[in-house]
């Protein structure tokens, strides 16, 4: 946005930009009293005689919204309050934590604020900032008869940039995003990725005049009526400004990245038909082959089944071998059909990978015990490679399921895929985009798996 910015309180009658020149004005709203729990913010703002007109945008600091809504809690330990508001730790350095909070916002300390609040208490963010913005907007309409937009703001740090800025965490009656995709620029070039965060731009403009310590928690923007939405239709709020996990390229933090990737890796049983990027799979293989292995060997091979024909041919041959085994075991047709259906996870995936173990570089001792231990070392290394592979796929935002079925018919797999005799298939990995969110994993107490001597 371009235009004039008034950096001091101004009256509603002051002149705006010259006629015909794009621009807007922003000023802090003076005269607002100290906000206390239970206060009606719309009435407090109206009592200052703000001179609001249709099309204005009101920028309200979240702190006074939280105070009015009674989001002040007793907390001798601020860290405990942060824990209670945290959904996920993104990064940690010393006492500083960057977290995802209950509203889906990624910010320091979950937005828990210990400043400008009585000793022994902390201030939490509004529980639903969009609803708070709607209440203020509706209250101003009732009190003053004006149609304005409202943005609730809070202060954020930003990755790779020094300094803080205000952003929108709640909005009502404001077009929060301006999607320019599908249009063209001044040179006729297509715009394919341009979505402007209008609400954030408004929030930062307001912070220029509100300041952090000036005691001016509300600002007004005038001259941008096109960003204000009417009362008809659904109010979008700021929900669409929070990037979903699936599209977030930077979801993982710093030292927590590996741990988060490991814990977020889940077995996916149903996939969409969205194609898998072969380069993403190859990057995952590159991560897999960094696993530890005995004697400086490389005991992993990954067979990538990228064509539907190769997948179908392998799975049909495996099914036939499995059915023959079950018939020899005396299983009924119903039991066989039920068991075979369990293999549908592989058939429903748009991409299959068959990890194989090779014993190249292994030692032979001529002793059954030592030779058995030697193979076990290689099997453990193969498992480590597959685990790396699965975690790397999760980092690529690909779902996976490691199924052991190829281990029961290795000769069939080697024959169908034309693999060397020394390659031992170690299951098959179904790869694709999850059709639905996996079910929550049951909590596991790490202590139950630990013995200390």
């Amino acid at each position: 946005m371009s235009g004039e910015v008034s950096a001091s309180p101004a009256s509603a009658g002051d002149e705006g930009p010259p006629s015909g020149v794009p621009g807007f004005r922003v000023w802090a709203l003076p005269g607002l009293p100290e906000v206390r729990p239970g206060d009606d913010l719309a009435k407090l703002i109206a009592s200052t005689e703000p001179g609001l007109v249709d099309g204005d945008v009101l920028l309200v600091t979240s702190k006074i919204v939280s105070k009015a809504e009674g989001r002040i809690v007793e907390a001798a330990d601020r860290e405990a309050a942060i824990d209670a508001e945290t959904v996920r730790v993104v990064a940690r350095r010393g006492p500083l934590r960057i977290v995802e909070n209950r509203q889906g916002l990624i910010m320091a300390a979950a937005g828990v604020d210990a400043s400008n609040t009585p000793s022994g208490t902390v201030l939490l963010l509004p529980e639903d900032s969009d609803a708070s913005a709607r209440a203020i907007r509706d209250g101003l309409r009732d009190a003053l008869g004006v149609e304005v937009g409202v943005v609730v703001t809070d202060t954020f740090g930003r990755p790779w940039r020094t300094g803080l800025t205000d952003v929108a965490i709640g909005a009502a009656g404001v077009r929060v995003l301006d999607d320019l995709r599908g249009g063209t620029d001044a040179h006729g070039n297509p715009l394919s990725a341009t979505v402007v965060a209008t609400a954030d731009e408004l929030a930062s403009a307001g912070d220029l005049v509100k300041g952090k310590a000036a005691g001016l928690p509300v600002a007004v923007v005038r001259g941008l009526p096109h960003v204000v939405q009417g009362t008809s239709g659904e109010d979008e709020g700021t929900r669409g400004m929070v990037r979903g996990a699936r599209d977030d390229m930077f979801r993982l933090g710093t030292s927590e990245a590996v741990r988060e990737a490991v814990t977020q890796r889940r077995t996916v049983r149903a996939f969409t038909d969205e194609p898998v990027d072969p380069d993403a799979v190859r990057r995952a293989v590159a991560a897999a082959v960094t696993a530890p292995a005995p004697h400086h060997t490389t005991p992993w091979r990954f067979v990538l089944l990228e064509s539907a024909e190769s997948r179908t041919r392998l799975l049909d041959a495996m099914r036939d071998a499995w059915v023959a085994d079950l018939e020899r075991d005396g299983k009924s047709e119903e039991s066989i059909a039920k068991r075979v259906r369990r293999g549908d996870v592989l058939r429903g995936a748009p991409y299959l990978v068959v990890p194989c173990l090779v014993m190249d570089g292994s030692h032979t001792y001529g002793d059954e015990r030592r030779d058995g231990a030697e193979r076990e070392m290689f099997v453990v290394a193969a498992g480590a490679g597959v685990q790396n592979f699965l975690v790397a796929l999760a980092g690529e935002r690909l779902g996976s399921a490691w199924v052991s079925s190829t281990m029961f018919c290795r000769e069939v797999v080697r024959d169908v895929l034309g693999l060397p005799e020394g390659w031992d298939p170690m299951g098959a990995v179904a790869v694709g985009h999850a059709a639905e969110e996996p079910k929550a994993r049951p909590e596991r107490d790490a202590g139950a798996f630990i013995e200390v001597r």
Side-chain angles (χ1 to χ4, degrees):
M1 298 177 182
S2 62
E4 300 178 2
V5 178
S6 174
S8 60
S11 69
D14 286 352
E15 292 184 4
S19 176
V21 176
F24 68 94
R25 293 175 46 239
V26 55
W27 68 92
L29 195 64
L32 201 68
E34 179 69 22
V35 176
R36 302 184 185 282
D39 281 348
D40 186 323
L41 281 181
K43 288 183 178 180
L44 287 183
I45 292 169
S47 71
T48 68
E49 298 184 1
L52 297 175
V53 300
D54 289 349
D56 284 351
V57 178
L58 210 67
L59 308 168
V60 183
T61 303
S62 63
K63 186 168 293 187
I64 66 168
V65 178
S66 295
K67 288 183 176 180
E69 295 179 355
R71 296 283 284 166
I72 304 171
V73 299
E74 299 288 337
D77 181 4
R78 181 176 178 237
E79 294 303 307
I82 295 171
D83 288 341
E85 292 297 302
T86 295
V87 173
R88 178 174 63 93
V89 176
V90 176
R92 183 194 304 266
R93 179 168 294 171
L96 176 62
R97 280 183 285 172
I98 307 298
V99 307
E100 178 183 352
N101 68 10
R102 296 179 184 276
Q103 292 88 353
L105 304 172
I106 308 295
M107 59 193 311
V112 176
D113 196 343
S115 62
N116 293 316
T117 185
S119 178
T121 68
V122 295
L123 200 60
L124 310 182
L125 289 178
E127 192 166 353
D128 184 342
S129 297
D130 287 334
S132 303
R134 287 194 297 271
I136 296 171
R137 185 192 194 208
D138 293 344
L140 290 172
R141 184 190 301 118
D142 294 341
L144 302 176
V146 292
E147 201 63 62
V148 298
V150 174
V151 176
V152 177
T153 71
D154 197 59
T155 304
F156 275 45
R158 299 153 301 156
W160 305 301
R161 301 284 287 181
T162 299
L164 305 173
T165 186
D166 267 22
V167 303
I169 65 169
V174 173
R175 187 171 290 106
V176 299
L177 295 170
D178 189 7
D179 191 345
L180 303 180
R181 292 172 297 182
T184 56
D185 64 16
H187 296 280
N189 300 310
L191 299 174
S192 59
T194 305
V195 180
V196 178
T198 304
D200 284 347
E201 293 184 326
L202 290 166
S204 59
D207 193 45
L208 291 173
V209 293
K210 287 188 298 177
K212 300 301 180 191
L216 298 169
V218 179
V220 180
V221 172
R222 177 168 297 167
L224 300 171
H226 63 281
V227 306
V228 177
Q229 294 178 315
T231 56
S232 61
E234 183 181 355
D235 201 333
E236 58 185 316
T238 56
R239 294 182 301 274
M241 301 186 76
V242 177
R243 193 186 300 276
R246 182 184 179 91
D247 299 320
D248 187 354
M249 294 175 64
F250 307 101
R251 183 169 177 79
L252 301 184
T254 52
S255 60
E256 288 75 27
V258 173
R259 177 178 56 81
E260 184 75 7
V262 170
T263 57
Q264 291 299 311
R265 188 215 61 78
R266 304 296 302 280
T267 296
V268 173
R269 299 292 182 184
F271 300 91
T272 69
D273 57 3
E274 182 180 349
V276 170
D277 178 6
D279 288 338
V281 178
R282 284 162 173 77
R283 289 192 292 270
V285 171
V289 299
T290 65
H295 313 315
H296 305 288
T297 58
T298 54
W300 323 275
R301 302 292 185 271
F302 290 84
V303 184
L304 311 183
L305 277 63
E306 296 185 339
S307 72
E309 187 275 333
S310 65
R311 295 192 296 273
T312 300
R313 187 158 50 88
L314 173 64
L315 295 177
D316 284 350
M318 288 172 56
R319 179 199 57 206
D320 293 345
W322 194 9
V323 169
D325 284 345
L326 293 171
E327 288 175 344
R328 280 193 296 271
D329 293 341
K331 302 296 183 182
S332 67
E333 290 186 10
E334 181 181 357
S335 175
I336 291 174
K338 182 178 180 179
R339 291 165 185 262
V340 169
R341 280 196 298 270
R342 294 175 186 168
D344 287 348
V345 63
L346 295 179
R347 224 170 257 282
Y351 199 109
L352 288 182
V353 177
V354 177
C356 296
L357 164 69
V358 298
M359 296 291 291
D360 295 352
S362 62
H363 295 174
T364 301
Y365 301 96
D367 176 283
E368 183 176 345
R369 176 181 59 83
R370 297 169 71 192
D371 286 344
E374 180 79 1
R375 178 172 176 80
E376 285 180 1
M377 288 197 304
F378 276 74
V379 170
V380 169
V386 173
Q387 171 71 351
N388 275 12
F389 180 63
L390 298 176
V391 171
L393 289 174
E396 296 282 353
R397 295 293 176 258
L398 288 170
S400 64
W402 186 15
V403 181
S404 60
S405 52
T406 67
M407 299 172 69
F408 291 88
C409 53
R410 284 175 169 151
E411 289 296 338
V412 172
V413 176
R414 280 193 288 260
D415 180 58
V416 171
L417 299 181
L419 304 181
E421 180 65 28
W423 289 29
D424 282 347
M426 303 297 288
V429 179
V431 182
H433 299 274
E436 57 190 22
E437 288 295 319
K439 295 180 180 179
R441 178 186 284 117
E443 290 290 334
R444 291 175 180 170
D445 177 12
F449 304 90
I450 297 173
E451 292 289 338
V452 179
R453 297 291 187 267

